[in-house]
Amino acid sequence: MAQNEGSLGSSMHGVIGREQTFALEVVSPSVPTDTTVKFDLPVDSEHRAKAFKVFSFAKPHMRTFHLAWVSFFTCFISTFAAAPLVPIIRDNLNLTKTDVGNAGVASVSGSIFSRLIMGAVCDLIGPRYGTSFLLLLSAPAVFCMSFVSDAQGYIAARFMIGFCLATFVSCQYWTTIMFNGKILGLVNGCAGGWGDMGGGVTQLLMPLVFEVIKLAGATPFTAWRIAFFIPGWLHVIMGILVLTLGQDLPDGNLGALQKKGNVNKDKFSKVFWYGIKNYRTWVFFVLYGFSMGIELTTNNIISEFMYDRFNLKLHTAGTIAATFGMANIFARPFGGYASDVAGRLFGMRGRLWTLWIFQTLGGVFCVWLGRAESLPIAVVAMVLFSMGTQAACGATFGIVPFVSRRSLGILSGLTGAGGNFGSGLTQLAFFSNSKFSTATGISLMGALTVACTLPVALIHFPQWGSMLLPPSKDPQRSNEEYYYSSEWTEEEKLRGMHEGSLKFAENSKSERGKRVNNNIASAPTPPTSTPVHAV
């Protein structure tokens, strides 16, 4: 019987044929659409968007996407704003090579801890508060860069600014809970990649701002200080926008939904335990240390490397260095998209092979960059290195959301922290003393990347298999429901706390690849209920 227009379940927003279309969009048609709810994008049974429309600002899914990546982009600009100005700053503050290296390490070390904390914050109070508070709290540290007077102050300021890189965790967490797994590699790749692009934009932005301020009459040693007010104000503006326009979950903000009883309030001890006991978490900690980690390291050293090795002007070196970070506009999204395609064709095993291929190629091209003797060869090697490494980052977060449903924030935080740990390690080992030239350090970093990518082969999902091994033959262990519900005790299951994990398990059966029919049934949401989000 036909329903009256506007009555419950009559919304046509879940029907793709009635949706407004955009020039760039990706839709996941094989996942059943929940037509009992009203959203601007078609959604699955967890109310996660099945469509990704780049030019849309539809609330809450696409608005969340844009707030997430722009926030992370802002933090990348401020964290690496000093890198292209190092030739000026080191003369002003009388910095040695060791001081410059230690400052680079400091810029990524602080966020090892802040990313761990951000994972718990996202799980327990939501990504909106986590993102906005971190942006606002780190803004004073960015402004303080304008007032440093010695090496100790410079290193301390860069250390404090680096805490804001934890917005990467909230960015990836936020988009993961807003979009269906079939398109998650692409969505996370775009959000992370466009955020990482700030590392390239700042290589262009800060020298340009510096030159403009000089033209206005300031001395070079004053101009670089004034330039830091630009990223500082970007922090303030984005912090306010996220706080006022953001939304934690598809159905509302976490606190409000918990008060209504629509979202279970989890315990930090349980969330943390299930995150750290999963061995796959630590494998991704290492893997991301040598994809995102070497990208962070390269952002810190590439401009100075080009400036010193090929006797370039500051602006020219910054422009060339910018291409490394700017490749994120398509390289990381491509890695995520390739992961999604491999997942559709070959299941999770295809995603794992995709990650290994991209990251290994990134390491090989990194070795080539360090051995390049001419500027054209160095630029080609750098671009190929950036594409392989950044595609590997995108492919990584095409897999991470499937490792754990209950401890997604902790898992994302530890993976992200691995990136910063790897960056700190490589900078300390290869670029913080005179034992190696910068070129030799780059080559050694690439070789280490190739070796540290081999643990991809250790990642095995009983329901999907690994790179080299098939799924478990045990009929109980080889299904998605068993894997995700194992994160809950029998008492918690009796209280219905695992229902969100069961819905996620149903929607993630697509990771079997060709082993099953593409039209996998998904449990519809009852008309009068809200999906249970495990947070």
Side-chain angles (χ1 to χ4, degrees):
M1 186 173 70
Q3 292 174 304
N4 294 328
E5 184 178 356
S7 64
L8 190 62
S10 65
S11 168
M12 291 300 293
H13 286 277
V15 181
I16 297 173
R18 295 287 296 273
E19 289 288 319
Q20 181 181 0
T21 57
F22 296 85
L24 290 176
E25 65 177 73
V26 178
V27 182
S28 176
S30 63
V31 179
T33 299
D34 187 346
T35 59
T36 65
V37 289
K38 185 176 181 180
F39 287 101
D40 289 331
L41 298 179
V43 297
D44 63 15
S45 61
E46 294 181 279
H47 295 176
R48 300 186 187 203
K50 295 171 48 183
F52 175 55
K53 301 181 177 180
V54 176
F55 298 122
S56 169
F57 289 86
K59 182 181 178 181
H61 303 94
M62 291 310 303
R63 181 184 293 184
T64 292
F65 168 79
H66 290 297
L67 287 173
W69 81 260
V70 175
S71 298
F72 183 41
F73 174 86
T74 298
C75 294
F76 240 82
I77 284 180
S78 59
T79 299
F80 297 103
L85 300 179
V86 161
I88 305 299
I89 297 173
R90 69 186 178 189
D91 292 340
N92 186 192
L93 302 180
N94 297 316
L95 303 178
T96 65
K97 181 177 180 179
T98 300
D99 293 330
V100 173
N102 288 340
V105 174
S107 69
V108 298
S109 298
S111 55
I112 294 175
F113 307 104
S114 63
R115 285 186 170 190
L116 291 174
I117 295 170
M118 180 62 84
V121 167
C122 289
D123 280 326
L124 300 175
I125 68 173
R128 180 175 67 101
Y129 279 145
T131 302
S132 60
F133 289 171
L134 187 55
L135 282 163
L136 294 171
L137 289 173
S138 56
V142 183
F143 289 122
C144 281
M145 273 293 290
S146 301
F147 305 102
V148 298
S149 58
D150 54 27
Q152 290 73 26
Y154 174 68
I155 293 171
R158 294 208 65 187
F159 176 76
M160 296 303 295
I161 294 170
F163 275 76
C164 70
L165 286 182
T167 49
F168 166 77
V169 176
S170 56
C171 169
Q172 298 291 276
Y173 180 97
W174 217 352
T175 52
T176 294
I177 61 177
M178 286 288 180
F179 292 88
N180 178 266
K182 294 277 282 185
I183 57 173
L184 203 49
L186 175 63
V187 175
N188 280 349
C190 287
W194 296 351
D196 288 347
M197 188 174 61
V201 170
T202 200
Q203 303 280 354
L204 293 173
L205 176 65
M206 295 306 287
L208 178 61
V209 172
F210 170 77
E211 294 294 338
V212 170
I213 295 171
K214 273 207 313 177
L215 289 174
T219 65
F221 288 173
T222 300
W224 77 260
R225 297 174 183 275
I226 297 174
F228 271 88
F229 279 84
I230 299 299
W233 278 112
L234 287 175
H235 272 243
V236 174
I237 293 168
M238 281 309 303
I240 294 172
L241 288 176
V242 169
L243 190 61
T244 55
L245 299 179
Q247 181 173 307
D248 289 316
L249 299 167
D251 297 292
N253 286 318
L254 181 59
L257 292 173
Q258 286 176 336
K259 288 179 180 179
K260 293 178 182 178
N262 292 331
V263 174
N264 293 312
K265 194 168 186 178
D266 215 337
K267 292 182 179 180
F268 171 73
S269 58
K270 293 288 185 71
V271 172
F272 183 74
W273 171 245
Y274 282 108
I276 64 171
K277 70 176 287 191
N278 193 323
Y279 83 91
R280 300 168 191 84
T281 300
W282 300 105
V283 176
F284 277 109
F285 180 89
V286 174
L287 291 173
Y288 207 58
F290 290 91
S291 57
M292 189 65 205
I294 63 171
E295 181 181 344
L296 294 174
T297 295
T298 306
N299 280 330
N300 265 329
I301 59 98
I302 191 65
S303 181
E304 185 184 14
F305 168 70
M306 292 291 183
Y307 178 86
D308 292 334
R309 186 171 178 83
F310 300 108
N311 298 313
L312 303 176
K313 294 181 180 179
L314 180 65
H315 182 70
T316 304
T319 301
I320 293 173
T323 61
F324 180 85
M326 293 292 285
N328 271 294
I329 196 170
F330 63 87
R332 185 161 180 158
F334 174 74
Y337 179 71
S339 179
D340 287 340
V341 172
R344 285 196 290 271
L345 295 176
F346 307 107
M348 180 56 68
R349 301 178 75 179
R351 290 185 185 269
L352 293 169
W353 274 103
T354 300
L355 170 58
W356 179 79
I357 291 169
F358 282 142
Q359 192 155 321
T360 299
L361 287 175
V364 170
F365 290 128
C366 182
V367 173
W368 187 27
L369 171 62
R371 298 176 65 85
E373 296 292 339
S374 67
L375 181 61
I377 294 297
V379 170
V380 171
M382 183 193 68
V383 170
L384 293 174
F385 161 44
S386 69
M387 292 174 64
T389 300
Q390 291 158 12
C393 292
T396 297
F397 274 84
I399 302 170
V400 165
F402 295 100
V403 173
S404 172
R405 179 66 174 87
R406 185 175 190 178
S407 303
L408 175 61
I410 293 293
L411 174 62
S412 299
L414 280 167
T415 303
N420 291 81
F421 178 81
S423 179
L425 179 66
T426 51
Q427 288 185 73
L428 278 174
F430 304 129
F431 305 107
S432 293
N433 53 60
S434 56
K435 184 177 181 180
F436 302 109
S437 68
T438 303
T440 300
I442 290 173
S443 290
L444 291 174
M445 182 171 67
L448 190 59
T449 297
V450 174
C452 291
T453 302
L454 295 175
V456 176
L458 300 177
I459 300 173
H460 184 273
F461 293 91
Q463 69 276 34
W464 300 318
S466 64
M467 282 177 62
L468 305 174
L469 298 175
S472 170
K473 294 181 179 180
D474 186 330
Q476 181 184 26
R477 292 176 57 84
S478 62
N479 69 78
E480 290 78 6
E481 288 81 2
Y482 177 84
Y483 179 81
Y484 291 110
S485 63
S486 65
E487 295 182 314
W488 303 90
T489 65
E490 291 303 319
E491 180 184 350
E492 290 169 333
K493 291 177 183 177
L494 290 174
R495 292 161 54 192
M497 295 181 68
H498 70 311
E499 291 179 9
S501 293
L502 292 180
K503 286 185 178 293
F504 183 78
E506 192 70 28
N507 288 322
S508 67
K509 287 183 178 179
S510 58
E511 295 307 307
R512 298 177 181 181
K514 292 182 177 180
R515 290 198 298 127
V516 296
N517 190 289
N518 285 332
N519 296 317
I520 300 167
S522 176
T525 304
T528 57
S529 71
T530 298
V532 179
H533 300 277
V535 294

